[in-house]
Amino acid sequence: MATFSYACLNLFSAAKLDTMHAKLLKSTFLFIPLLSSLILGGCQVVNVKQQALNITISNERDSILTRDKLSEASLNVLSMTGREAKGCANDPAACLQFIQKMPQIPEEQLFSTASELYLAKAKQLESSKDCKNIPKLEKNPSKKHLHQQQLHVSCITEEGEMLDKSIRYSYAYLFRSNREPQQRIFDNRQVQVRDFYNQAIAKLGSAYPAQAVDVQKHLPQSVKMGESNYRLDFSDYPELASQPIESYMSSYNLNFSGLRSINRRDGFGSEFVVILPKKHIDEENQYILDPLHYQFKDGVNPNIRSPRYLSSTITIEPEKNTSLQDLLNNSPMVIKIHDPYRSDRINIENNSYPLAANYSAPYGLWLAQNNLGKSAYLSLIDKDQNLAMPHLYMLEPFNPNKKVIVLIHGLASSPEAWIRLTNDIMGDPVLREHYQVWQVFYSTNMPIMESRFQIYALLKQSFALVDPKSPAYSDSVLIGHSMGGIIARLLVSHADLSSQAFKTLKSPSLLKKHRNDPIVLERLRIQPITNFDRAIFLSSPNKGTAFADRWFTKMARRIIRVPSVFVSAIGTTLQGDLNKSTLKQLDQNIIQNGPSDLSYKSAFIAITKNVNPPKGFIFHSIIGNDTKSNDPAKITDGVVPYSSAHLDGAASEKIIHGGHSIQETPEAVLELRRILRLHLIQHGLYQAPQINQ
């Protein structure tokens, strides 16, 4: 008995002696094992054992955002104060009013716990029946319907109030507590509270969709959140200040299948995508044979598309000189909208912090909501007239200080062909800082010479909008895959093909009358676009391919037709010189579709195969090899043989194991990134880091 602890002795003293005496004989056999256990274990109440690592990490890092339970840090605070988690989550204000009276609870613990409790209540309201069920608008609503509307509005309002409080307490923890954020850099709790802050902002945006955009679809100057006023500040993104908005979407929880990775930058702020309205185009579905001289509405080719999907980051902060007490109550707050392409840091409370950003979300939404791959296939069989003219898409707001990369896809393809490269450029800080991407989307059933001319006009008009003194005007990089590689090669070359073209045509007499027509000559007397000083060709069938003459591709070529709007435009331009018979002959014999032009037997290949970039122009070749041979005579990517893809004079030639879609392979993307960095180095825009040996 000498080994008993004081606690064990208390067990016996707490029992009444007469009760023990009365029951002693009756419980002897039960008491002896208990006594032995107490003696041997010393009344031990704590045991130790190993637990799974995932449980340890989960206990440290999980919170109300990852489970239907508060974080361990918040539960510990409630445990110290004798409050129950369920009751506090149902009524956080009352719970916190009690906790605030306890001086033993440090300020940081109070702020972080309050932030999570209010967010937990907001999540509870969000999933409730009153908040989820949005009553339909009715002309003559019944009393029941009006009651449902009132319940919904009341629920949404309360949810907004909870999110408002969560943001205030999160901000207080991060920037107004006793320790600076830098002093908590290794604290799990700081990461949790930052997530509470970001998620509260994201949910606040979805909880108040009607208030964020007015009837003119302009963001208002201020909005009301419960009893709090929120002022919008566009000083870090002035382009959006008076810009019509179609919608905005938090990218905090977005996930995209088809994107290998989501490129983002860690930092402070909640990530959003702003979606601008789609512009109506008067010239849509109209084929313009002479785009270089056509008078477009407002003087700008409408097929030069500025981005509709914009990356933005939102922070919510108190007005300057707001006291801590006012911050935690209903003082005015400021919603700041930031352009993460323009700024990588922000100033808060007189300190600089990294600005969070999601660069992949706008790109992913653009691809997902426009289904460009489907449009590419439909246009190939002349079933989609929306792509009659080529389009140029800017993937970020134009920046005059960044060099331009232009990407041109291949046959039956679309900008989706460049997903991996484009996403990697966005994820590479060096490339993202110095380059902006323009993607060309065109109908690949068009004759290649016509596509080259139309894309030439489109790019000339695009660069004409750029200040010649700005870095974006010169030293651009042109990249083309397959058919796009041929077009890219002809866009940086100089040649007069008119004489040879008329000799090669099967029925030269048909167009003899118009051989000197400027519209014809502009297509045959090719000029380089001088804004480019480097080009990269991937799997490009420069001398054609026998693949285009196999039985199954010949069958496909019969289905693929030259766009009817193009043929009709030619007939209209020639003003009655072509009757139905000769127009059919023009379609079938002289003007071939894009796939037919790729045949090594085609007239197009005959007159263009020896047209190369001028001496001194820098270009690179990336070639696929799906064979096991290193013999140039046997190397092929399954569609294009090495002999056709190879060009003399290339600054570099990289042969990569893979099929025709070589641009999608990691090796090709790494090679492209190497070339793009080399381009920056050679223009003095970037210095490669020195590796110590």
Side-chain angles (χ1 to χ4, degrees):
M1 293 293 290
T3 59
F4 270 20
S5 67
Y6 179 75
C8 290
L9 288 172
N10 284 340
L11 281 175
F12 291 99
S13 63
K16 294 182 179 179
L17 291 176
D18 58 339
T19 303
M20 291 181 64
H21 291 158
K23 297 181 179 179
L24 182 60
L25 293 175
K26 185 177 180 180
S27 59
T28 299
F29 292 104
L30 295 175
F31 181 73
I32 291 174
L34 173 62
L35 183 63
S36 300
S37 173
L38 291 171
I39 294 172
L40 294 175
C43 197
Q44 184 174 352
V45 294
V46 177
N47 292 292
V48 63
K49 67 176 182 178
Q50 291 285 344
Q51 68 179 5
L53 179 61
N54 66 312
I55 296 176
T56 300
I57 294 176
S58 175
N59 288 338
E60 289 181 356
R61 300 180 185 176
D62 278 356
S63 69
I64 195 63
L65 294 178
T66 56
R67 63 185 185 185
D68 293 326
K69 180 181 174 183
L70 297 174
S71 64
E72 291 299 315
S74 292
L75 290 173
N76 287 339
V77 170
L78 299 183
S79 175
M80 285 189 290
T81 61
R83 311 300 290 182
E84 291 186 358
K86 185 176 180 180
C88 283
N90 287 330
D91 191 355
C95 181
L96 290 167
Q97 190 175 15
F98 176 84
I99 296 175
Q100 284 173 336
K101 296 177 182 179
M102 304 186 68
Q104 298 89 345
I105 304 300
E107 194 176 59
E108 281 189 6
Q109 289 184 321
L110 172 65
F111 293 162
S112 59
T113 302
S115 173
E116 186 171 13
L117 283 173
Y118 279 117
L119 185 58
K121 179 62 176 179
K123 286 187 64 181
Q124 182 187 109
L125 289 166
E126 181 187 29
S127 58
S128 69
K129 178 182 177 181
D130 290 338
C131 276
K132 288 178 69 175
N133 296 338
I134 304 175
K136 295 181 180 179
L137 295 176
E138 295 182 3
K139 290 184 178 180
N140 299 307
S142 62
K143 289 184 178 180
K144 181 180 179 181
H145 187 78
L146 288 172
H147 180 64
Q148 290 175 340
Q149 286 182 328
Q150 291 172 351
L151 289 175
H152 177 71
V153 171
S154 177
C155 186
I156 292 295
T157 301
E158 186 181 0
E159 181 187 352
E161 290 172 349
M162 296 299 104
L163 294 171
D164 167 61
K165 289 294 186 182
S166 181
I167 290 169
R168 291 176 184 273
Y169 277 97
S170 297
Y171 187 94
Y173 169 88
L174 292 169
F175 302 109
R176 293 289 188 88
S177 53
N178 295 328
R179 290 191 298 165
E180 297 288 334
Q182 294 88 339
Q183 296 175 291
R184 297 189 299 258
I185 191 170
F186 296 114
D187 288 11
N188 287 328
R189 193 56 164 169
Q190 178 154 281
V191 176
Q192 284 182 331
V193 177
R194 186 197 64 179
D195 288 341
F196 299 158
Y197 174 89
N198 289 339
Q199 189 64 5
I201 293 177
K203 288 184 176 296
L204 197 62
S206 61
Y208 278 76
Q211 290 199 35
V213 182
D214 66 15
V215 291
Q216 286 81 32
K217 292 190 175 180
H218 286 75
L219 288 175
Q221 293 184 348
S222 64
V223 291
K224 187 88 170 177
M225 304 293 183
E227 298 299 320
S228 303
N229 287 315
Y230 279 67
R231 176 175 63 85
L232 273 71
D233 182 351
F234 293 97
S235 57
D236 285 348
Y237 210 149
E239 293 82 0
L240 289 181
S242 58
Q243 172 68 56
I245 302 294
E246 179 178 292
S247 61
Y248 65 105
M249 182 182 300
S250 169
S251 57
Y252 199 73
N253 302 322
L254 291 181
N255 183 40
F256 297 93
S257 60
L259 288 183
R260 183 174 56 90
S261 61
I262 301 298
N263 292 312
R264 53 183 311 280
R265 181 176 63 213
D266 285 330
F268 185 68
S270 189
E271 304 140 15
F272 277 79
V273 179
V274 177
I275 305 175
L276 305 181
K278 185 177 180 180
K279 295 181 180 179
H280 174 73
I281 300 174
D282 292 337
E283 292 89 357
E284 200 161 24
N285 302 335
Q286 177 184 350
Y287 198 85
I288 301 168
L289 278 178
D290 192 11
L292 287 171
H293 303 100
Y294 185 85
Q295 296 299 313
F296 291 102
K297 184 180 179 181
D298 300 325
V300 177
N301 188 333
N303 293 321
I304 301 171
R305 306 290 184 90
S306 297
R308 286 185 61 217
Y309 302 81
L310 306 178
S311 177
S312 64
T313 304
I314 293 178
T315 60
I316 295 182
E317 309 167 28
E319 295 277 11
K320 288 184 178 180
N321 303 319
T322 299
S323 68
L324 176 60
Q325 183 177 356
D326 289 341
L327 166 64
L328 297 179
N329 291 297
N330 296 321
S331 64
M333 301 290 280
V334 182
I335 302 174
K336 291 189 175 181
I337 295 89
H338 307 270
D339 179 359
Y341 279 103
R342 178 178 296 166
S343 306
D344 57 4
R345 300 189 71 83
I346 52 173
N347 289 315
I348 300 178
E349 303 285 339
N350 300 317
N351 286 304
S352 176
Y353 300 99
L355 178 68
N358 189 323
Y359 299 103
S360 295
Y363 179 54
L365 276 174
W366 174 60
L367 292 171
Q369 295 188 2
N370 286 276
N371 201 353
L372 303 178
K374 180 180 178 180
S375 294
Y377 283 108
L378 290 176
S379 66
L380 193 65
I381 57 175
D382 201 24
K383 295 296 184 182
D384 186 352
Q385 299 300 326
N386 293 324
L387 199 59
M389 299 287 285
H391 294 57
L392 183 143
Y393 292 97
M394 299 179 182
L395 298 190
E396 65 179 83
F398 174 73
N399 187 332
N401 296 313
K402 295 169 75 168
K403 297 297 181 186
V404 173
I405 298 173
V406 175
L407 304 176
I408 305 178
H409 62 79
L411 176 67
S413 190
S414 73
E416 291 181 348
W418 302 110
I419 287 176
R420 190 157 197 165
L421 172 62
T422 304
N423 206 34
D424 273 29
I425 290 173
M426 293 175 179
D428 186 319
V430 173
L431 300 185
R432 185 176 66 239
E433 179 184 354
H434 292 94
Y435 289 111
Q436 55 195 323
V437 176
W438 295 357
Q439 296 223 22
V440 173
F441 190 21
Y442 66 105
S443 178
T444 57
N445 59 343
M446 195 74 70
I448 296 178
M449 191 67 81
E450 179 65 18
S451 291
R452 187 219 70 88
F453 172 71
Q454 292 288 350
I455 294 172
Y456 169 85
L458 185 66
L459 291 174
K460 290 286 285 186
Q461 291 161 346
S462 299
F463 281 111
L465 300 174
V466 181
D467 183 352
K469 296 180 181 179
S470 69
Y473 187 78
S474 58
D475 308 325
S476 299
V477 180
L478 181 62
I479 305 176
H481 170 250
S482 191
M483 180 190 287
I486 294 177
I487 293 172
R489 173 171 57 88
L490 297 179
L491 287 172
V492 296
S493 300
H494 180 282
D496 185 349
L497 305 176
S498 56
S499 176
Q500 187 179 0
F502 279 102
K503 290 179 181 177
T504 308
L505 288 175
K506 295 180 180 179
S507 304
S509 60
L510 188 63
L511 289 179
K512 185 175 181 180
K513 179 180 178 181
H514 298 277
R515 64 185 304 162
N516 294 319
D517 193 310
I519 290 181
V520 175
L521 293 178
E522 279 182 334
R523 286 158 167 77
L524 297 175
R525 292 175 178 172
I526 64 175
Q527 300 289 327
I529 299 177
T530 56
N531 306 85
F532 298 107
D533 73 341
R534 189 182 301 263
I536 308 170
F537 313 126
L538 297 96
S539 297
S540 180
N542 300 295
K543 299 176 180 63
T545 170
F547 192 87
D549 294 295
R550 294 182 182 177
W551 68 268
F552 48 87
T553 50
K554 282 187 174 181
M555 291 289 292
R557 282 163 54 183
R558 293 178 182 177
I559 300 172
I560 298 168
R561 308 295 299 169
V562 172
S564 56
V565 289
F566 170 53
V567 177
S568 298
I570 292 177
T572 302
T573 302
L574 298 184
Q575 298 177 349
D577 288 344
L578 300 178
N579 55 34
K580 289 184 179 180
S581 176
T582 54
L583 189 61
K584 183 177 180 181
Q585 186 181 9
L586 176 70
D587 184 8
Q588 294 180 348
N589 297 327
I590 296 179
I591 303 174
Q592 296 195 68
N593 58 46
S596 298
D597 277 341
L598 292 176
S599 169
Y600 71 98
K601 300 176 183 179
S602 71
F604 169 78
I605 292 296
I607 66 175
T608 62
K609 63 182 179 181
N610 295 319
V611 178
N612 290 320
K615 186 177 181 180
F617 184 89
I618 302 174
F619 66 92
H620 309 259
S621 293
I622 299 177
I623 300 171
N625 180 14
D626 71 349
T627 74
K628 296 181 180 180
S629 175
N630 293 321
D631 183 355
K634 297 180 180 179
I635 291 175
T636 177
D637 63 15
V639 175
V640 180
Y642 173 84
S643 58
S644 182
H646 170 77
L647 288 174
D648 292 333
S652 69
E653 182 180 85
K654 183 80 169 181
I655 300 176
I656 295 173
H657 182 72
H660 186 59
S661 297
I662 199 67
Q663 83 286 356
E664 297 176 353
T665 64
E667 295 81 4
V669 172
L670 286 173
E671 174 65 3
L672 286 164
R673 291 172 66 179
R674 180 195 72 81
I675 295 171
L676 291 172
R677 285 186 177 234
L678 176 65
H679 186 70
L680 296 175
I681 292 170
Q682 292 179 345
H683 284 287
L685 299 173
Y686 171 69
Q687 185 174 358
Q690 299 295 321
I691 300 176
N692 295 326
Q693 299 295 329

